Amino acid sequence: MVYDDRPIGVFDSGLGGLTVVRALLDLVPGADVVYFGDTGRFPYGNKPAYEVMKYSLEIVDLLLEHDVGMIVIACNSAAAVALDHLRDRLDVPVVGVIEPGLRAARRATRAGRVGVIGTVGTISSGAYQRTAAQLEPCLELTCAACPGFVEFVEQGDVESDQVHVLAERLLAPVRQACVDTLVLGCTHYPLLARTIADVMGPDVVLVSSADETAFEVRAELDEPVRRRPDRSEPRRVKFMTSGDPTMFRELGARFLGPEVEQVEAWSWS
Ligand code: DGL
């Protein structure tokens, strides 16, 4: 048996990808993780595709310098533009969040009417519509961009009256479409789940791609290379940010948990 003990490299524009890291820590025991949050250049969702592609390639190069054995693009905006390119270009497996989110939605929906909310970049890229047409053609999608949500999360504000008012306005199209399932197509949005659930009402199932993505990572690790079962040393989780490490640590610990202890500063010079 060949073992691959290299860490999993995970990235996002900021804190949102920590929702995926939480699922990885819970569902893929024993795997080391290196996380990069590009907080210094966030948000990605309102930037042109070529710029998000450039940032994604730079981060992947950085993660590969940390000898990661797999890349998880824990950012819908980056996955929407860079997933295919990275899969073609890299020797290590690359997992995104769009396919897992749609798979989870197909399992959750009763009537097939599924809403997808995401950043302007993700929604206007058409990545959800294209992927659903290929993999889950039975789903009837209603997509809506939610500009402003990510900024609230990065400020640590996930439940104020202002977020609630914004959510009422931005979620109107998916409410009018009477969706029974809503894909949180931005990894920041699970942190707003309470507000989004209040607005959508109890009959709508909220789907985060985090757990499903972690299951996909686990399947990748199991086949054909297995994690060493008898590993005795504690798991290593490393966090890096291009923004303010103190703020990242404080909010990261609040959103992800005590695993966010030390955060290294990174500068794109
Ligand atoms: N968390 C990201 C996503 O899933 C990025 C949001 C942003 O930076 O605009 O889309």
Side-chain angles (χ1 to χ4, degrees), residues 12-13 16-17 42-46 74-78 119 122 150 185-188:
D12 177 48
S13 65
F42 116 98
Y44 282 7
N46 60 3
C75 173
N76 290 262
S77 312
T119 64
T122 299
V150 170
C186 169
T187 51
H188 282 72

Side-chain angles (χ1 to χ4, degrees), residues 15 37 39-40 241-250 263-266:
L15 294 160
T39 323
T241 178
S242 57
D244 176 0
T246 308
M247 183 146 173
F248 188 97
R249 191 177 52 245
E250 280 170 18
V263 179
E264 268 179 33
W266 173 262

